[in-house]
Amino acid sequence: MKKTFLVFFLALLLIFALLPASAYAAETAIDTGDTTFILFSSALVMLMTPGLALFYGGMVRKKNVLGTITQSFFIIAIISVQWILIGYSLAFGSDNFHLIGSLQWLGFHGVGMAPNPDYAATIPHQAFATFQLMFAIITPALITGAFAERMRFPVFIVFTLLWATLVYDPLAHWVWGVNGWMRNLGTLDFAGGTVVHISSGVSGLVAAYFLGKRKGLGSEALVPHNIPMTLMGAGLLWFGWFGFNAGSALTAGSLAASAFIVTNTAAGAGALAWAACEVYRHGKATALGIASGAIAGLVSITPASGFVGPLSAIAIGLLSGIICFIFVSVIKHKLGYDDSLDAFGIHGVGGTWGAIATGLFATKSVNPAGADGLFYGNPHLLSAQIISVLATIAFAGLATLIILKVVKAIFGSIRVSEEDEILGLDLTQHGEDAYDSSAYETGMAYITQSTSLNSVPKAAIPRTASSSGSVICEN
Amino acid sequence: MKKLECIIRPNKLDEISDALNLYGIQGMTVSQVMGCGLQKGRREVYRGTVYDIHLLPKIKIELVIPDNWVDDIIKIIREKANTGEIGDGKIFVSPIENAIRIRTGEQGNSAI
């Protein structure tokens, strides 16, 4: 079985290697400033996913921190390969039925250094494809927050690969691909509010319902184990978001500068609003709340970032902080699903608000290539935005449900066993422990040299159980 | 011999162990523990969800001492661990049948 896979894989590599080399001759139209900016923005967006890993990792219990972080890191690896082989072509290849790209760019065949004026006329086509890759990476990583602390790792891998190929790639084509139906409809989504945030949020909600609640929800305190880690992650997300939004201008000019400042403004406004809600309701502003509000603000400004001014960004960010706070702290509990780290509550809800806000606040005075929103006298944009939101919710939700049913049929169960859930994902899915316990230092360690890999989870039980640790003082 | 299990505030450990050393206590076992008693727990809020944490972190000192030291040691620990507020902790006293020093095989008072 394994051998067959290896032969198949090598054959695949050979086929791609034998394809005619891409056109590497640089065209005169390439602008070095723009290219620098997009390559740098790509690196910034890439950093968002490790940032997300920390953001999520700090919010889980310490027995699940590696399980959570590893999911994001693994997605960087798997989508980096998937995008070259098939993803980019499906998303941005020439249009089929306004729904999906063709297979013309399979294996990056034909994606060379010559700019593709359909998407970005002044940078190498490969630079554009690389920039888009980073968006394809972070989107499935966002979903992991919804099923955190309970999904089996092998199932997660297959789910992610199917989701990226069957949900993200078509959606990206609808919104950004030439002749994609949402693009033709006149929908405005500057940096991926629908493609990235609504799609991942809704898919997370479906996954959270499908997997069921974590064991102990409601009876045990399932609280964050490392909030400084979460804030560090939020900081990296905020930082990377400048590449996400300003980079989406695809040229290093005034539009990028405008997107940059509104992004930062909305993040600040979101944090202020969330903190204010907390003070109003509980008397204290929390570190986790300030970070959550900033992310909510960033999510909501994403589709609008190329079409609104800074004052609109304040309104969008403030409302996002308030809406997401209410959703996460009140409505979620009434609906009774377990979106562990609020992938839907922040990305789904904040993204939906952002898409609608774009239909309200967009103005051609910021971006002549955009459109005016309702507040600037054009009601048509708002209806296009609402159609795209509803279509995204319906498509992402339904497709995710089907993918989950398929992986369940393949693997039997999607969730880890109850025993494994108690032990934690770190030990049971990866055979590692994130934090050395004091028991190790005091000589109470379980086994220092294990000869059998199979014995690791079982042997590690005493170490987990004695996490209170005891210290011998002799004077 | 008696065993004293002293549940104390975490920040009182150094003061107490210094005082016990001065008295001549040779060994003790210290653990980080969680517990609840008269002292109320605390309230934490994460993304608007309120958690009432009933268990609070405490330090447990276990001492095995000769019978005639018990009153003195209790007095020392009470003196050092007392803040006058709820949550200062408790001392439990129980009889110990025997103690054996593993290295030498000594038993009873000479083993502790």
Side-chain angles (χ1 to χ4, degrees):
Chain A
M1 184 74 173
K2 272 186 181 164
K3 209 171 174 184
T4 325
F5 268 124
L6 193 67
V7 170
F8 175 75
F9 184 67
L10 288 175
L12 203 69
L13 278 185
L14 196 66
I15 290 168
F16 286 120
L18 290 177
L19 287 170
S22 321
Y24 280 100
E27 298 280 316
T28 47
I30 286 176
D31 182 300
T32 52
D34 289 348
T35 307
T36 308
F37 177 58
I38 292 308
L39 290 177
F40 180 66
S41 292
S42 304
L44 280 178
V45 181
M46 183 274 169
L47 192 60
M48 288 172 75
T49 305
L52 183 74
L54 295 179
F55 183 66
Y56 280 169
M59 274 191 271
V60 297
R61 288 162 292 170
K62 69 177 178 185
K63 64 183 178 182
N64 294 322
V65 60
L66 291 178
T68 305
I69 287 180
T70 308
Q71 288 179 345
S72 287
F73 267 81
F74 198 85
I75 285 173
I76 301 177
I78 197 166
I79 302 301
S80 291
V81 174
Q82 183 264 6
W83 192 247
I84 300 289
L85 293 180
I86 186 167
Y88 180 64
S89 193
L90 287 179
F92 291 92
S94 60
D95 180 74
N96 286 314
F97 317 109
H98 309 297
L99 293 175
I100 187 116
S102 73
L103 298 177
Q104 68 180 127
W105 289 331
L106 230 52
F108 257 36
H109 173 56
V111 180
M113 291 304 148
N116 182 333
D118 284 344
Y119 296 117
T122 59
I123 61 172
H125 192 184
Q126 283 194 356
F128 174 76
T130 306
F131 182 61
Q132 290 299 335
L133 159 64
M134 304 311 171
F135 288 66
I137 288 172
I138 194 168
T139 310
L142 292 169
I143 306 174
T144 65
F147 54 64
E149 302 196 292
R150 58 198 188 280
M151 197 169 194
R152 289 173 61 202
F153 191 60
V155 183
F156 150 80
I157 294 171
V158 174
F159 169 78
T160 295
L161 202 52
L162 289 173
W163 193 89
T165 310
L166 302 175
V167 181
Y168 182 82
D169 295 343
L171 262 179
H173 184 79
W174 293 2
V175 179
W176 293 321
V178 170
N179 264 329
W181 74 265
M182 280 189 194
R183 181 171 162 152
N184 288 349
L185 185 70
T187 302
L188 293 184
D189 185 357
F190 192 69
T194 42
V195 184
V196 175
H197 296 290
I198 298 179
S199 73
S200 61
V202 169
S203 300
L205 178 66
V206 171
Y209 266 116
F210 196 81
L211 263 81
K213 295 175 187 177
R214 283 167 296 168
K215 195 178 156 51
L217 185 77
S219 57
E220 295 167 30
L222 309 184
V223 298
H225 89 286
N226 190 337
I227 291 185
M229 181 189 279
T230 295
L231 265 79
M232 185 73 223
L236 286 174
L237 281 166
W238 192 330
F239 178 70
W241 227 295
F242 296 131
F244 200 94
N245 288 0
S248 290
L250 294 169
T251 58
S254 52
L255 185 57
S258 167
F260 197 116
I261 187 64
V262 296
T263 300
N264 196 56
T265 307
L272 292 179
W274 192 299
C277 288
E278 286 190 325
V279 171
Y280 174 72
R281 236 176 108 84
H282 304 289
K284 291 187 179 104
T286 67
L288 179 62
I290 292 163
S292 306
I295 301 300
L298 288 163
V299 167
S300 65
I301 198 67
T302 297
S305 55
F307 310 108
V308 301
L311 285 176
S312 300
I314 292 178
I316 292 171
L318 284 175
L319 277 162
S320 186
I322 295 167
I323 294 168
C324 291
F325 174 83
I326 293 170
F327 204 90
V328 161
S329 63
V330 182
I331 299 174
K332 179 172 93 160
H333 300 298
K334 295 200 168 147
L335 297 180
Y337 60 91
D338 184 16
D339 176 2
S340 321
L341 312 179
D342 299 312
F344 178 71
I346 291 185
H347 297 275
V349 173
T352 302
W353 159 241
I356 292 166
T358 308
L360 301 173
F361 292 97
T363 164
K364 280 186 174 173
S365 64
V366 169
N367 184 350
D372 282 332
L374 185 67
F375 295 162
Y376 295 87
N378 172 24
H380 301 297
L381 178 62
L382 186 61
S383 59
Q385 296 298 105
I386 290 171
I387 290 169
S388 72
V389 166
L390 294 177
T392 306
I393 291 172
F395 173 65
L398 198 64
T400 302
L401 186 65
I402 293 169
I403 293 170
L404 285 168
K405 284 190 184 266
V406 168
V407 291
K408 189 169 187 181
I410 298 171
F411 286 93
S413 74
I414 293 182
R415 273 181 87 124
V416 295
S417 70
E418 208 175 307
E419 194 188 346
D420 285 359
E421 196 174 335
I422 293 168
L423 276 173
L425 300 184
D426 295 7
L427 282 173
T428 60
Q429 303 301 298
H430 305 290
E432 294 177 280
D433 193 358
Y435 306 104
D436 202 3
S437 64
S438 59
Y440 196 79
E441 290 149 24
T442 53
M444 286 155 68
Y446 51 110
I447 285 177
T448 44
Q449 289 174 330
S450 172
T451 47
S452 162
L453 280 178
N454 294 336
S455 70
V456 170
K458 215 174 243 177
I461 297 168
R463 185 176 166 188
T464 317
S466 63
S467 61
S468 62
S470 59
V471 182
I472 314 288
C473 292
E474 287 209 344
N475 294 292
Chain B
M1 285 176 293
K2 289 276 192 288
K3 178 161 88 166
L4 267 55
E5 286 175 88
C6 320
I7 313 292
I8 57 162
R9 291 181 190 274
N11 60 342
K12 291 290 184 184
L13 175 62
D14 283 345
E15 223 178 311
I16 291 170
S17 70
D18 286 352
L20 292 175
N21 283 336
L22 222 63
Y23 186 85
I25 296 282
Q26 295 285 312
M28 65 184 83
T29 305
V30 177
S31 322
Q32 295 179 326
V33 294
M34 304 290 283
C36 56
L38 290 177
Q39 190 182 10
K40 276 184 196 162
R42 58 171 190 255
R43 172 160 289 198
E44 295 177 9
V45 183
Y46 297 101
R47 280 192 172 160
T49 305
V50 179
Y51 296 92
D52 285 315
I53 312 286
H54 299 298
L55 295 178
L56 292 171
K58 295 283 172 187
I59 292 278
K60 181 168 79 172
I61 306 175
E62 287 168 277
L63 297 166
V64 177
I65 51 173
D67 289 349
N68 56 348
W69 290 12
V70 170
D71 290 343
D72 284 352
I73 300 295
I74 289 175
K75 195 175 156 221
I76 290 171
I77 292 172
R78 277 207 59 215
E79 198 173 284
K80 298 296 178 189
N82 200 334
T83 67
E85 301 291 323
I86 287 174
D88 279 346
K90 286 193 176 61
I91 303 173
F92 302 104
V93 185
S94 51
I96 290 290
E97 200 165 303
N98 200 358
I100 296 105
R101 190 183 298 278
I102 291 174
R103 176 169 51 85
T104 58
E106 284 166 276
Q107 299 206 3
N109 278 350
S110 56
I112 58 177

